Amino acid sequence: MATASPHGKFAVITGASTGIGFELATIAAQDGYDILVVADEALIEAAAADFRQFGTTVTALEADLSTTDGVDALLAATNGRQIDILCANAGRGLGHGFLDQSVADWRAVIDTNITGTLYLVQKVLPAMVARNDGKLLVTGSVAGYIPGAFQAVYNGSKAFIDSFTEALRNEIKDADGVTLTTLMPGPVDTEFFDRADMNDTDVGTDPNKRSPTDVARDGWDALMAGKGSVFSGWMTKLQGVIANVVPGSVLAEQHRKMAEPGSAKD
């Protein structure tokens, strides 16, 4: 069992109640980090109980990180403690055609995946740059490389994150003690597809989705190694390569076959 770090290292992980975030928080606790874990559901308290088995200090917060108030609540919950690692993993998916989506639903995707993430990063990163020390992992997606028919807003939001983190990495390159890593998974075996109402799609029912444990480990290892980005799994990396050479119209049609409602194979 890990014990608390002698240096009092502190990590913040968002979207930590399930999936990739849960696994990232597990790794951080196992590695001796005190952690603040945040999610927009009460399940975060049960997750925190799991993390405490590793002997570090665990603080849980239920907050809506699609809002500035939610991010401010996260910042307040740190009690002014230095953040050594931030895993900005909170995200929201959304299936179906854009014209069938409510404004509230697609705004929730944008506000969670983009606005809340950027606000959190802008609040946390300056202190890291000032002391030239700190690590930041942002969960993007290979979906950001693919025009996502029947997932248009989600894929577009991840395209923004993938591009934004690449640009920000360049802006802070002189702070060589700061690591900014973009984790880019493909389909992962989590609650994502259920929450995005995609259980009747080919991608949602695919039994070969990658394990969140493996994805989190890929992201954590890349963060520790100081890598700028990582595709999780060789198939995902191949998708990223192909997306750079195949016309967008072809990629959109391929995505349609995976994500269109009713596309699940019998």
Side-chain angles (χ1 to χ4, degrees), residues 135-138 165-166 169 178-183 217-231 237:
K135 297 182 182 299
L136 173 57
L137 179 71
V138 179
T165 51
E166 190 67 53
R169 200 156 29 244
V178 179
T179 297
L180 170 56
T181 303
T182 311
L183 171 59
R217 175 52 67 182
D218 288 343
W220 187 267
D221 288 349
L223 183 68
M224 293 299 114
K227 293 182 179 179
S229 61
V230 60
F231 288 104
K237 184 175 183 179

Side-chain angles (χ1 to χ4, degrees), residues 60-128:
L61 174 68
E62 181 181 353
D64 181 0
L65 298 181
S66 71
T67 68
T68 54
D69 286 347
V71 174
D72 287 340
L74 179 159
L75 297 168
T78 67
N79 292 317
R81 189 168 179 182
Q82 175 178 301
I83 300 173
D84 299 292
I85 290 180
L86 169 62
C87 296
N89 170 75
R92 185 182 296 269
L94 183 62
H96 294 275
F98 174 67
L99 298 183
D100 298 322
Q101 296 166 354
S102 71
V103 174
D105 284 346
W106 62 252
R107 280 201 60 174
V109 173
I110 292 171
D111 288 343
T112 303
N113 298 0
I114 298 177
T115 308
T117 298
L118 265 61
Y119 183 59
L120 177 58
V121 169
Q122 194 172 51
K123 287 291 187 178
V124 172
L125 191 56
M128 292 182 175

Side-chain angles (χ1 to χ4, degrees), residues 48-68:
D50 285 341
F51 306 142
R52 291 189 180 101
Q53 68 181 294
F54 303 110
T56 60
T57 299
V58 179
T59 303
L61 174 68
E62 181 181 353
D64 181 0
L65 298 181
S66 71
T67 68
T68 54

Side-chain angles (χ1 to χ4, degrees), residues 172-192:
I172 65 168
K173 66 179 182 178
D174 292 338
D176 54 9
V178 179
T179 297
L180 170 56
T181 303
T182 311
L183 171 59
M184 294 181 288
V188 186
D189 188 16
T190 67
E191 294 79 3
F192 174 92

Side-chain angles (χ1 to χ4, degrees), residues 185-190 207-215 218 232-234 236:
V188 186
D189 188 16
T190 67
N208 298 312
K209 293 189 286 290
R210 193 157 172 79
S211 160
T213 304
D214 293 338
V215 174
D218 288 343
S232 181
W234 70 269
T236 304

